mmCIF file of all heavy atoms in Angstrom:
data_model
loop_
_atom_site.group_PDB
_atom_site.id
_atom_site.type_symbol
_atom_site.label_atom_id
_atom_site.label_comp_id
_atom_site.label_asym_id
_atom_site.label_seq_id
_atom_site.Cartn_x
_atom_site.Cartn_y
_atom_site.Cartn_z
ATOM 1 N N ARG H 17 132.483 -15.996 224.656
ATOM 2 C CA ARG H 17 131.220 -16.617 225.037
ATOM 3 C C ARG H 17 130.295 -15.612 225.715
ATOM 4 O O ARG H 17 129.100 -15.613 225.527
ATOM 5 C CB ARG H 17 131.475 -17.796 225.992
ATOM 6 C CG ARG H 17 132.100 -18.985 225.333
ATOM 7 C CD ARG H 17 132.078 -20.200 226.246
ATOM 8 N NE ARG H 17 132.816 -19.989 227.475
ATOM 9 C CZ ARG H 17 134.084 -20.265 227.633
ATOM 10 N NH1 ARG H 17 134.830 -20.791 226.627
ATOM 11 N NH2 ARG H 17 134.721 -20.039 228.783
ATOM 12 N N ALA H 18 130.884 -14.716 226.514
ATOM 13 C CA ALA H 18 130.082 -13.727 227.237
ATOM 14 C C ALA H 18 129.665 -12.550 226.377
ATOM 15 O O ALA H 18 128.754 -11.813 226.699
ATOM 16 C CB ALA H 18 130.867 -13.218 228.448
ATOM 17 N N GLY H 19 130.372 -12.375 225.225
ATOM 18 C CA GLY H 19 130.091 -11.219 224.400
ATOM 19 C C GLY H 19 130.572 -9.920 225.013
ATOM 20 O O GLY H 19 130.184 -8.835 224.622
ATOM 21 N N ASP H 20 131.407 -10.040 226.024
ATOM 22 C CA ASP H 20 131.938 -8.899 226.736
ATOM 23 C C ASP H 20 133.197 -9.358 227.469
ATOM 24 O O ASP H 20 133.629 -10.494 227.328
ATOM 25 C CB ASP H 20 130.883 -8.353 227.742
ATOM 26 C CG ASP H 20 131.158 -6.904 228.156
ATOM 27 O OD1 ASP H 20 132.250 -6.399 227.834
ATOM 28 O OD2 ASP H 20 130.296 -6.324 228.835
ATOM 29 N N ILE H 21 133.778 -8.488 228.283
ATOM 30 C CA ILE H 21 134.951 -8.903 229.016
ATOM 31 C C ILE H 21 134.542 -9.708 230.256
ATOM 32 O O ILE H 21 133.762 -9.263 231.088
ATOM 33 C CB ILE H 21 135.788 -7.694 229.474
ATOM 34 C CG1 ILE H 21 136.286 -6.896 228.270
ATOM 35 C CG2 ILE H 21 136.981 -8.129 230.342
ATOM 36 C CD1 ILE H 21 136.997 -5.632 228.621
ATOM 37 N N ALA H 22 135.030 -10.947 230.313
ATOM 38 C CA ALA H 22 134.727 -11.837 231.471
ATOM 39 C C ALA H 22 135.737 -11.533 232.562
ATOM 40 O O ALA H 22 136.729 -12.226 232.746
ATOM 41 C CB ALA H 22 134.801 -13.272 231.053
ATOM 42 N N PHE H 23 135.494 -10.453 233.311
ATOM 43 C CA PHE H 23 136.481 -9.972 234.298
ATOM 44 C C PHE H 23 136.802 -11.041 235.327
ATOM 45 O O PHE H 23 137.952 -11.134 235.811
ATOM 46 C CB PHE H 23 135.941 -8.713 234.985
ATOM 47 C CG PHE H 23 136.041 -7.460 234.135
ATOM 48 C CD1 PHE H 23 134.876 -6.907 233.607
ATOM 49 C CD2 PHE H 23 137.263 -6.895 233.874
ATOM 50 C CE1 PHE H 23 134.961 -5.755 232.822
ATOM 51 C CE2 PHE H 23 137.337 -5.738 233.080
ATOM 52 C CZ PHE H 23 136.188 -5.151 232.573
ATOM 53 N N LYS H 24 135.834 -11.882 235.711
ATOM 54 C CA LYS H 24 136.098 -12.920 236.698
ATOM 55 C C LYS H 24 137.149 -13.894 236.178
ATOM 56 O O LYS H 24 138.057 -14.308 236.924
ATOM 57 C CB LYS H 24 134.816 -13.669 237.065
ATOM 58 C CG LYS H 24 135.061 -14.724 238.169
ATOM 59 C CD LYS H 24 133.760 -15.426 238.504
ATOM 60 C CE LYS H 24 133.991 -16.417 239.662
ATOM 61 N NZ LYS H 24 135.042 -17.380 239.372
ATOM 62 N N GLU H 25 137.032 -14.267 234.882
ATOM 63 C CA GLU H 25 138.041 -15.197 234.308
ATOM 64 C C GLU H 25 139.420 -14.563 234.352
ATOM 65 O O GLU H 25 140.417 -15.230 234.673
ATOM 66 C CB GLU H 25 137.643 -15.544 232.881
ATOM 67 C CG GLU H 25 136.356 -16.322 232.739
ATOM 68 C CD GLU H 25 136.518 -17.747 233.197
ATOM 69 O OE1 GLU H 25 137.671 -18.235 233.281
ATOM 70 O OE2 GLU H 25 135.494 -18.407 233.469
ATOM 71 N N TRP H 26 139.508 -13.280 234.002
ATOM 72 C CA TRP H 26 140.805 -12.633 233.998
ATOM 73 C C TRP H 26 141.341 -12.478 235.436
ATOM 74 O O TRP H 26 142.530 -12.603 235.676
ATOM 75 C CB TRP H 26 140.715 -11.256 233.323
ATOM 76 C CG TRP H 26 140.496 -11.385 231.856
ATOM 77 C CD1 TRP H 26 139.354 -11.117 231.165
ATOM 78 C CD2 TRP H 26 141.446 -11.790 230.878
ATOM 79 N NE1 TRP H 26 139.518 -11.360 229.831
ATOM 80 C CE2 TRP H 26 140.828 -11.774 229.610
ATOM 81 C CE3 TRP H 26 142.783 -12.204 230.949
ATOM 82 C CZ2 TRP H 26 141.463 -12.139 228.435
ATOM 83 C CZ3 TRP H 26 143.431 -12.545 229.763
ATOM 84 C CH2 TRP H 26 142.774 -12.499 228.541
ATOM 85 N N GLY H 27 140.444 -12.220 236.346
ATOM 86 C CA GLY H 27 140.849 -12.139 237.768
ATOM 87 C C GLY H 27 141.358 -13.480 238.278
ATOM 88 O O GLY H 27 142.363 -13.535 239.010
ATOM 89 N N ASP H 28 140.656 -14.566 237.928
ATOM 90 C CA ASP H 28 141.110 -15.912 238.302
ATOM 91 C C ASP H 28 142.477 -16.242 237.709
ATOM 92 O O ASP H 28 143.243 -17.018 238.299
ATOM 93 C CB ASP H 28 140.077 -16.941 237.871
ATOM 94 C CG ASP H 28 138.783 -16.854 238.653
ATOM 95 O OD1 ASP H 28 138.771 -16.194 239.710
ATOM 96 O OD2 ASP H 28 137.763 -17.437 238.184
ATOM 97 N N LEU H 29 142.757 -15.655 236.562
ATOM 98 C CA LEU H 29 144.065 -15.855 235.934
ATOM 99 C C LEU H 29 145.162 -15.127 236.686
ATOM 100 O O LEU H 29 146.337 -15.406 236.504
ATOM 101 C CB LEU H 29 143.981 -15.359 234.481
ATOM 102 C CG LEU H 29 145.205 -15.510 233.592
ATOM 103 C CD1 LEU H 29 145.592 -17.011 233.441
ATOM 104 C CD2 LEU H 29 144.921 -14.913 232.189
ATOM 105 N N GLY H 30 144.745 -14.170 237.517
ATOM 106 C CA GLY H 30 145.734 -13.408 238.300
ATOM 107 C C GLY H 30 145.998 -12.025 237.724
ATOM 108 O O GLY H 30 146.838 -11.282 238.256
ATOM 109 N N ALA H 31 145.256 -11.651 236.671
ATOM 110 C CA ALA H 31 145.482 -10.352 236.063
ATOM 111 C C ALA H 31 144.896 -9.233 236.937
ATOM 112 O O ALA H 31 143.753 -9.327 237.371
ATOM 113 C CB ALA H 31 144.880 -10.316 234.670
ATOM 114 N N GLN H 32 145.677 -8.179 237.130
ATOM 115 C CA GLN H 32 145.173 -6.975 237.796
ATOM 116 C C GLN H 32 144.769 -5.932 236.766
ATOM 117 O O GLN H 32 143.872 -5.105 237.047
ATOM 118 C CB GLN H 32 146.227 -6.433 238.717
ATOM 119 C CG GLN H 32 146.583 -7.338 239.879
ATOM 120 C CD GLN H 32 147.814 -6.844 240.653
ATOM 121 O OE1 GLN H 32 148.908 -6.845 240.113
ATOM 122 N NE2 GLN H 32 147.608 -6.438 241.868
ATOM 123 N N ALA H 33 145.460 -5.933 235.649
ATOM 124 C CA ALA H 33 145.123 -5.014 234.556
ATOM 125 C C ALA H 33 145.113 -5.818 233.257
ATOM 126 O O ALA H 33 145.805 -6.817 233.118
ATOM 127 C CB ALA H 33 146.107 -3.865 234.467
ATOM 128 N N LEU H 34 144.292 -5.390 232.322
ATOM 129 C CA LEU H 34 144.070 -6.113 231.076
ATOM 130 C C LEU H 34 144.096 -5.113 229.902
ATOM 131 O O LEU H 34 143.463 -4.062 229.956
ATOM 132 C CB LEU H 34 142.693 -6.793 231.105
ATOM 133 C CG LEU H 34 142.132 -7.402 229.825
ATOM 134 C CD1 LEU H 34 142.998 -8.579 229.357
ATOM 135 C CD2 LEU H 34 140.683 -7.815 230.005
ATOM 136 N N VAL H 35 144.859 -5.480 228.857
ATOM 137 C CA VAL H 35 144.884 -4.698 227.619
ATOM 138 C C VAL H 35 144.049 -5.433 226.584
ATOM 139 O O VAL H 35 144.314 -6.616 226.279
ATOM 140 C CB VAL H 35 146.295 -4.484 227.099
ATOM 141 C CG1 VAL H 35 146.271 -3.724 225.776
ATOM 142 C CG2 VAL H 35 147.149 -3.756 228.121
ATOM 143 N N LYS H 36 143.044 -4.800 226.037
ATOM 144 C CA LYS H 36 142.209 -5.378 224.981
ATOM 145 C C LYS H 36 142.395 -4.524 223.733
ATOM 146 O O LYS H 36 142.239 -3.268 223.777
ATOM 147 C CB LYS H 36 140.761 -5.415 225.377
ATOM 148 C CG LYS H 36 140.486 -6.349 226.541
ATOM 149 C CD LYS H 36 140.506 -7.802 226.134
ATOM 150 C CE LYS H 36 139.232 -8.186 225.440
ATOM 151 N NZ LYS H 36 139.153 -9.649 225.134
ATOM 152 N N GLY H 37 142.715 -5.172 222.602
ATOM 153 C CA GLY H 37 142.935 -4.422 221.383
ATOM 154 C C GLY H 37 142.169 -4.983 220.219
ATOM 155 O O GLY H 37 141.936 -6.198 220.124
ATOM 156 N N THR H 38 141.771 -4.109 219.319
ATOM 157 C CA THR H 38 141.155 -4.509 218.060
ATOM 158 C C THR H 38 141.839 -3.775 216.925
ATOM 159 O O THR H 38 142.484 -2.755 217.116
ATOM 160 C CB THR H 38 139.636 -4.157 218.042
ATOM 161 O OG1 THR H 38 139.502 -2.715 218.163
ATOM 162 C CG2 THR H 38 138.893 -4.844 219.177
ATOM 163 N N TYR H 39 141.696 -4.333 215.713
ATOM 164 C CA TYR H 39 142.242 -3.645 214.549
ATOM 165 C C TYR H 39 141.410 -3.961 213.327
ATOM 166 O O TYR H 39 140.681 -4.947 213.266
ATOM 167 C CB TYR H 39 143.708 -4.095 214.323
ATOM 168 C CG TYR H 39 143.881 -5.522 213.907
ATOM 169 C CD1 TYR H 39 144.039 -5.856 212.546
ATOM 170 C CD2 TYR H 39 143.915 -6.535 214.829
ATOM 171 C CE1 TYR H 39 144.237 -7.176 212.156
ATOM 172 C CE2 TYR H 39 144.090 -7.879 214.449
ATOM 173 C CZ TYR H 39 144.246 -8.166 213.114
ATOM 174 O OH TYR H 39 144.401 -9.478 212.727
ATOM 175 N N SER H 40 141.478 -3.056 212.383
ATOM 176 C CA SER H 40 140.788 -3.236 211.110
ATOM 177 C C SER H 40 141.602 -2.499 210.048
ATOM 178 O O SER H 40 142.512 -1.734 210.367
ATOM 179 C CB SER H 40 139.377 -2.693 211.171
ATOM 180 O OG SER H 40 139.374 -1.302 211.464
ATOM 181 N N GLN H 41 141.246 -2.715 208.792
ATOM 182 C CA GLN H 41 141.917 -2.053 207.709
ATOM 183 C C GLN H 41 140.938 -1.303 206.860
ATOM 184 O O GLN H 41 139.839 -1.778 206.553
ATOM 185 C CB GLN H 41 142.730 -3.034 206.854
ATOM 186 C CG GLN H 41 143.976 -3.562 207.584
ATOM 187 C CD GLN H 41 144.851 -4.416 206.694
ATOM 188 O OE1 GLN H 41 144.382 -5.427 206.172
ATOM 189 N NE2 GLN H 41 146.105 -4.055 206.573
ATOM 190 N N ASP H 42 141.322 -0.093 206.510
ATOM 191 C CA ASP H 42 140.478 0.767 205.675
ATOM 192 C C ASP H 42 141.351 1.211 204.488
ATOM 193 O O ASP H 42 142.152 2.126 204.594
ATOM 194 C CB ASP H 42 140.011 1.995 206.468
ATOM 195 C CG ASP H 42 139.126 2.911 205.638
ATOM 196 O OD1 ASP H 42 138.708 2.505 204.549
ATOM 197 O OD2 ASP H 42 138.893 4.058 206.091
ATOM 198 N N GLY H 43 141.210 0.514 203.358
ATOM 199 C CA GLY H 43 142.073 0.799 202.238
ATOM 200 C C GLY H 43 143.509 0.410 202.614
ATOM 201 O O GLY H 43 143.780 -0.704 203.024
ATOM 202 N N GLY H 44 144.412 1.361 202.475
ATOM 203 C CA GLY H 44 145.805 1.098 202.827
ATOM 204 C C GLY H 44 146.156 1.440 204.252
ATOM 205 O O GLY H 44 147.310 1.326 204.641
ATOM 206 N N ASP H 45 145.154 1.821 205.047
ATOM 207 C CA ASP H 45 145.409 2.223 206.417
ATOM 208 C C ASP H 45 145.046 1.112 207.408
ATOM 209 O O ASP H 45 144.092 0.329 207.184
ATOM 210 C CB ASP H 45 144.574 3.470 206.781
ATOM 211 C CG ASP H 45 145.177 4.724 206.215
ATOM 212 O OD1 ASP H 45 146.291 4.655 205.658
ATOM 213 O OD2 ASP H 45 144.525 5.785 206.325
ATOM 214 N N LEU H 46 145.794 1.074 208.495
ATOM 215 C CA LEU H 46 145.519 0.195 209.607
ATOM 216 C C LEU H 46 144.918 1.019 210.743
ATOM 217 O O LEU H 46 145.473 2.083 211.084
ATOM 218 C CB LEU H 46 146.806 -0.496 210.073
ATOM 219 C CG LEU H 46 146.718 -1.458 211.252
ATOM 220 C CD1 LEU H 46 145.894 -2.699 210.882
ATOM 221 C CD2 LEU H 46 148.107 -1.882 211.714
ATOM 222 N N ILE H 47 143.840 0.565 211.326
ATOM 223 C CA ILE H 47 143.187 1.253 212.432
ATOM 224 C C ILE H 47 143.237 0.345 213.655
ATOM 225 O O ILE H 47 142.792 -0.790 213.603
ATOM 226 C CB ILE H 47 141.726 1.615 212.099
ATOM 227 C CG1 ILE H 47 141.680 2.481 210.841
ATOM 228 C CG2 ILE H 47 141.067 2.328 213.267
ATOM 229 C CD1 ILE H 47 140.267 2.688 210.296
ATOM 230 N N VAL H 48 143.801 0.839 214.747
ATOM 231 C CA VAL H 48 143.978 0.044 215.944
ATOM 232 C C VAL H 48 143.368 0.761 217.134
ATOM 233 O O VAL H 48 143.528 1.993 217.290
ATOM 234 C CB VAL H 48 145.480 -0.208 216.208
ATOM 235 C CG1 VAL H 48 145.671 -0.955 217.531
ATOM 236 C CG2 VAL H 48 146.129 -0.961 215.041
ATOM 237 N N GLU H 49 142.638 0.005 217.953
ATOM 238 C CA GLU H 49 142.132 0.535 219.216
ATOM 239 C C GLU H 49 142.792 -0.252 220.353
ATOM 240 O O GLU H 49 142.821 -1.496 220.332
ATOM 241 C CB GLU H 49 140.607 0.438 219.300
ATOM 242 C CG GLU H 49 139.917 1.374 218.319
ATOM 243 C CD GLU H 49 138.401 1.322 218.477
ATOM 244 O OE1 GLU H 49 137.915 0.571 219.359
ATOM 245 O OE2 GLU H 49 137.713 2.057 217.729
ATOM 246 N N CYS H 50 143.273 0.450 221.331
ATOM 247 C CA CYS H 50 143.978 -0.139 222.475
ATOM 248 C C CYS H 50 143.348 0.366 223.767
ATOM 249 O O CYS H 50 143.356 1.587 223.999
ATOM 250 C CB CYS H 50 145.460 0.200 222.385
ATOM 251 S SG CYS H 50 146.504 -0.551 223.615
ATOM 252 N N ARG H 51 142.798 -0.535 224.562
ATOM 253 C CA ARG H 51 142.150 -0.148 225.810
ATOM 254 C C ARG H 51 142.737 -0.882 226.983
ATOM 255 O O ARG H 51 143.061 -2.074 226.853
ATOM 256 C CB ARG H 51 140.625 -0.420 225.751
ATOM 257 C CG ARG H 51 139.946 0.214 224.545
ATOM 258 C CD ARG H 51 138.448 -0.014 224.602
ATOM 259 N NE ARG H 51 137.783 0.459 223.368
ATOM 260 C CZ ARG H 51 136.488 0.630 223.270
ATOM 261 N NH1 ARG H 51 135.688 0.373 224.276
ATOM 262 N NH2 ARG H 51 135.982 1.065 222.128
ATOM 263 N N VAL H 52 142.812 -0.210 228.115
ATOM 264 C CA VAL H 52 143.372 -0.818 229.347
ATOM 265 C C VAL H 52 142.281 -0.818 230.427
ATOM 266 O O VAL H 52 141.593 0.206 230.618
ATOM 267 C CB VAL H 52 144.600 -0.033 229.836
ATOM 268 C CG1 VAL H 52 145.227 -0.744 231.056
ATOM 269 C CG2 VAL H 52 145.618 0.129 228.743
ATOM 270 N N PHE H 53 142.129 -1.979 231.095
ATOM 271 C CA PHE H 53 141.061 -2.146 232.073
ATOM 272 C C PHE H 53 141.629 -2.528 233.445
ATOM 273 O O PHE H 53 142.616 -3.238 233.535
ATOM 274 C CB PHE H 53 140.092 -3.265 231.633
ATOM 275 C CG PHE H 53 139.313 -2.921 230.384
ATOM 276 C CD1 PHE H 53 139.857 -3.179 229.135
ATOM 277 C CD2 PHE H 53 138.068 -2.322 230.459
ATOM 278 C CE1 PHE H 53 139.171 -2.879 227.975
ATOM 279 C CE2 PHE H 53 137.346 -2.032 229.316
ATOM 280 C CZ PHE H 53 137.896 -2.300 228.064
ATOM 281 N N ASP H 54 140.992 -2.008 234.466
ATOM 282 C CA ASP H 54 141.222 -2.461 235.848
ATOM 283 C C ASP H 54 140.305 -3.655 236.068
ATOM 284 O O ASP H 54 139.094 -3.556 236.010
ATOM 285 C CB ASP H 54 140.846 -1.319 236.798
ATOM 286 C CG ASP H 54 140.764 -1.780 238.242
ATOM 287 O OD1 ASP H 54 141.268 -2.863 238.572
ATOM 288 O OD2 ASP H 54 140.162 -1.019 239.042
ATOM 289 N N VAL H 55 140.904 -4.839 236.239
ATOM 290 C CA VAL H 55 140.153 -6.099 236.323
ATOM 291 C C VAL H 55 139.260 -6.134 237.545
ATOM 292 O O VAL H 55 138.076 -6.457 237.475
ATOM 293 C CB VAL H 55 141.086 -7.304 236.266
ATOM 294 C CG1 VAL H 55 140.324 -8.597 236.505
ATOM 295 C CG2 VAL H 55 141.818 -7.362 234.918
ATOM 296 N N ALA H 56 139.808 -5.819 238.716
ATOM 297 C CA ALA H 56 139.012 -5.876 239.963
ATOM 298 C C ALA H 56 137.865 -4.877 239.925
ATOM 299 O O ALA H 56 136.762 -5.181 240.332
ATOM 300 C CB ALA H 56 139.913 -5.636 241.158
ATOM 301 N N GLY H 57 138.142 -3.676 239.445
ATOM 302 C CA GLY H 57 137.110 -2.640 239.394
ATOM 303 C C GLY H 57 136.190 -2.776 238.197
ATOM 304 O O GLY H 57 135.171 -2.080 238.126
#
């Protein structure tokens, strides 16, 4: 809904750190992005 990371929602959930990942396919290859966030900061 926010179109971005809703850090307040994750903080209310009790998360201190958050992993956000995306993936796509390019032909026979899989492309993955993995990011780690400090929720409070």
Side-chain angles (χ1 to χ4, degrees):
R17 290 192 298 270
D20 200 351
I21 298 176
F23 284 108
K24 183 179 184 304
E25 295 287 341
W26 290 106
D28 291 344
L29 183 60
Q32 295 170 293
L34 169 66
V35 178
K36 295 284 283 186
T38 62
Y39 67 98
S40 61
Q41 289 186 302
D42 180 13
D45 284 353
L46 179 67
I47 302 170
V48 177
E49 292 184 0
C50 184
R51 306 185 186 193
V52 185
F53 294 86
D54 167 18
V55 173

